[in-house]
């Protein structure tokens, strides 16, 4: 090219200077164009064009489908980048007239400018929808199906460009498991909805029940409202097992969700499921296919199609692997022995073994024994030094007596058996006892009769454990008036290190106690007023605003039926926004006042609160209840519910992490709530002093129900908020630490 350029500028060619300049520019432009074309080819060779895959899932509830495993399998077997688009169809609405057509038009407009290379459909309603609207939405695009029972395809010639993976729907296995674990079953109640998908499985269950040799009475509870369904469940005869087939619908946020219905039913009758979406909601279990295997097989087929294979040449994979799965906690609740499980059954939520549960305590105990041994050796080594200190002890007691004569506290000393050996003059003058009578008289005569037993118990514990403690009780003054005393005692040691008794001081705290009680009463009234106002606002939002929004949505839907084209799409968008606003208002109503707390109890309300919090902020909230009573005092339930709400909000706002834990555990004496995270943490003293992070309202609520509230946090070490509330009545004289010192 350079030679041609030189030739064009040859003297033999009588060219003007302007022509030469033009040829030079054309040459440079040609070189640049060729270089750019080579770079584009090189870039195209290095980075093949991305593949676009659309996943259509039949339902809006996502428990059955985990796209991550499917996506990972596809990407690991395809060299080009793969983009995934996921649509949740909510197939329960397919029976509504015009819904599928409207949904098809929406998807057509959404992906009109997007070149799709493959469509993956999960569960039969999505497959039928994809086939019916294939020409409208994605004409000519190959389809890979998954999670579809082969009976759905019987008598149907496979469509062009379609292949996939089937699974075995083991209704028979679930029924066998139910009858095996509950051999006295005489009735089977089938709980389901009215969608096409749910109706199919109801019929499949009915066929299996008809084929069973034993006489079983089938009771169909299909398409019933929650209240009517629970009423009929309560009237079911004994020896009944429930087959739960309702599929949750995320857009339908009723006061009682599908999970709440399942929990309410499972508390009354042993409940089994044919779909693997019931665990951790009270169901015992069922026989389920391996969904991980489904995702991997479907991912392999999708990778082959994206790599250029014709779907019609790829045979359908028929997966038949199923295994019974059961919830260990429900087995224990229904007194079902693990030995009764069929061979190969998968047991979920099994309690750890003794070694797994207490391993760290055993190791810590061994370490503690070693440390104590070393300490004993050190104590023996110091014994000689302590003998030298014995002489100075007597002098110290003399100085103590001089100090006792000037301090305003009421001082006392007792020996190792609890016998009083010293009372300060202020103590004697306070009670008006005879100073010449010695210390052997009945000291309990000066303690309020209601507090005597607590003081005696505290004395016994203190002497037994030989540990410093404090307690509160009422002591009679010489004028007959009882005054509240804060009595603090610490152990005394002999020169050889042995326990010598206690030394203590009692301080009059009546004025502080009265002021504290007044503050608590005022705080209680403020909190009570706040809760009443929250309840009123919640009722207004739920009963008025939500209903009006629902009516507006229905009116828009009715009006929408008379339009076509863009106007119809506009009305549909308005209806969708009305539904979203209604959902947001309802969620705000639940946050202000949870009706589940009133009707289903603390455990159900907290579980729902955690689920709603996870969904709203896209975080993970692990809720772990243990032995929570169905019925708790209303003030206790409300207190713990509000503490959990406030703690989660603070954790979300300040922790910097997206995973939290809520642990609710009850015993016969108390109930304990623990909310923790592994976030950035904070300085507790600074936060308490500044009154931030909601650390004022939470302790006040807990103290009003006689509970204990603690916050444990360090910078970059996470936070744990604990509220412990007693479930038994308390006497007026409360022991504030382990046992007390001696008699006065």
């Amino acid at each position: 090219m350079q030679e041609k350029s030189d030739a064009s500028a040859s003297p033999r060619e009588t060219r003007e200077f302007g022509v030469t300049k033009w040829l030079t520019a054309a040459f440079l432009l040609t070189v640049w164009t060729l270089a750019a074309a080579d770079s584009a080819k090189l870039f195209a060779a290095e980075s093949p064009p991305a593949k676009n895959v659309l996943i259509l899932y039949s339902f809006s509830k996502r428990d059955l489908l985990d796209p991550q495993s499917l996506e990972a399998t596809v990407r690991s077997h395809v060299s080009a980048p793969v983009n995934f688009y996921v649509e949740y169809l909510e197939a329960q609405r397919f029976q509504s007239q015009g819904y599928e057509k409207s949904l098809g038009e929406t998807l057509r407009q959404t992906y009109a400018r997007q070149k799709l290379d493959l469509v993956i459909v999960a569960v039969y309603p999505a497959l039928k929808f994809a086939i019916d609207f294939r020409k409208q939405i994605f004409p000519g695009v190959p389809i890979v199906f998954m999670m579809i029972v082969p009976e759905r395809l019987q008598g149907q010639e496979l469509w062009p460009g379609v292949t996939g993976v089937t699974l075995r729907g083991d209704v028979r296995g679930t029924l066998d498991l139910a009858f095996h674990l509950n051999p006295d079953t005489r009735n089977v109640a089938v709980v389901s909805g009215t969608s096409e998908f749910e109706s199919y499985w109801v019929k499949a269950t009915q066929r299996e029940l008809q084929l069973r040799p034993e006489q079983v009475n089938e009771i169909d509870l299909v398409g019933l409202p929650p209240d009517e369904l629970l009423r009929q469940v309560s009237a079911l005869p004994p020896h009944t097992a429930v087959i739960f087939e309702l599929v949750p619908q995320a857009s339908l946020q009723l006061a009682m969700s599908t999970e709440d219905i399942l929990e309410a039913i499972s508390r009354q009758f042993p409940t089994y499921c044919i779909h693997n979406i019931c665990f951790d909601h009270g169901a015992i279990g069922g026989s389920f296919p391996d969904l991980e295997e489904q995702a991997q097989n479907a991912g392999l087929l999708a990778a082959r199609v994206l790599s250029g294979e014709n779907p019609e040449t790829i045979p359908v994979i028929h997966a038949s692997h199923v295994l019974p799965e059961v919830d260990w906690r429900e087995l224990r609740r229904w007194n079902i022995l693990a030995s009764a499980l069929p061979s190969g059954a998968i047991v979920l939520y099994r309690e750890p073994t003794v070694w797994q549960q207490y391993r760290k305590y055993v190791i810590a105990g061994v370490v503690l024994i070693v440390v104590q041994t070393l300490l004993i050796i050190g104590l023996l080594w110091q014994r000689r030094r302590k003998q030298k200190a014995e002489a100075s002890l007597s002098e110290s007691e003399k100085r103590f007596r001089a100090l006792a004569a000037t301090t305003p506290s009421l001082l006392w000393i007792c020996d190792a058996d609890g016998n009083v050996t010293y009372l300060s003059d202020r103590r004697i003058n306070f009670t008006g006892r005879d100073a010449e009578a010695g210390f052997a008289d009945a000291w309990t005569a000066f303690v309020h009769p209601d507090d005597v037993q607590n003081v005696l118990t505290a004395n016994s514990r203190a002497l037994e454990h030989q540990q410093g403690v404090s307690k509160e009780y009422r002591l009679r003054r010489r004028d007959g008036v009882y005054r509240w005393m804060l009595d603090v005692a610490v152990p005394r040691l002999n020169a050889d290190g042995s326990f010598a008794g206690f030394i203590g001081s009692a301080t009059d705290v009546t004025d502080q106690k009265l002021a504290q009680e007044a503050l608590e009463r005022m705080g209680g009234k403020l909190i009570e007023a706040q809760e009443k106002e929250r309840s009123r606002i919640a009722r207004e939002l739920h009963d008025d605003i939500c209903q009006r929004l629902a009516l507006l949505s229905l009116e828009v839907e009715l009006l929408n039926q008379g339009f076509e084209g863009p106007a119809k799409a506009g009305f549909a968008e308005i209806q969708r926004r009305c539904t979203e606003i209604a959902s947001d208002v309802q969620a705000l109503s639940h946050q202000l006042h949870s009706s589940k707390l009133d009707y289903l109890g603390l455990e159900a309300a907290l579980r729902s609160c955690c689920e709603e919090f996870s969904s709203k902020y896209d975080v993970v909230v692990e809720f772990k209840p243990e032995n929570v009573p169905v019925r708790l005092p209303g003030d206790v339930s409300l207190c713990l519910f509000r503490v959990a709400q406030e703690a989660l909000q603070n954790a979300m706002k300040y922790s910097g992490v997206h995973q939290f834990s809520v642990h609710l555990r009850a015993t016969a004496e108390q109930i304990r709530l623990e909310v923790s995270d592994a976030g950035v943490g904070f300085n507790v003293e600074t936060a308490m002093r500044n009154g931030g992070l909601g650390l004022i309202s939470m302790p006040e609520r807990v103290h009003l129900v006689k509970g204990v509230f603690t916050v444990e946090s360090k910078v970059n070490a996470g936070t744990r908020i604990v509220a412990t509330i007693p479930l038994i009545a308390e006497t007026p004289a409360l022991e504030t630490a382990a046992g007390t010192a001696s008699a006065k």
Side-chain angles (χ1 to χ4, degrees), residues 491-513:
R492 297 187 303 116
L493 300 178
N494 294 315
D496 58 358
S498 61
F499 177 69
F502 285 95
I503 180 173
S505 66
T507 305
D508 190 338
V509 294
T510 305
D511 295 337
Q512 296 92 319
K513 197 169 187 66

Side-chain angles (χ1 to χ4, degrees), residues 196-211:
E196 187 277 339
F197 177 81
E198 293 167 318
S199 299
Y200 173 84
W201 288 105
V202 169
K203 294 177 182 178
T205 305
Q206 292 171 344
R207 288 195 299 269
E208 288 295 336
L209 288 173
Q210 292 172 359
L211 295 176

Side-chain angles (χ1 to χ4, degrees), residues 659-678:
Q659 185 166 358
F660 314 101
S661 175
V662 179
H663 190 181
L664 184 64
R665 180 176 59 192
T667 64
E669 296 79 20
Q670 65 182 21
I671 184 167
R672 173 187 173 97
L673 171 69
E674 179 179 318
V675 182
S676 60
D677 63 76

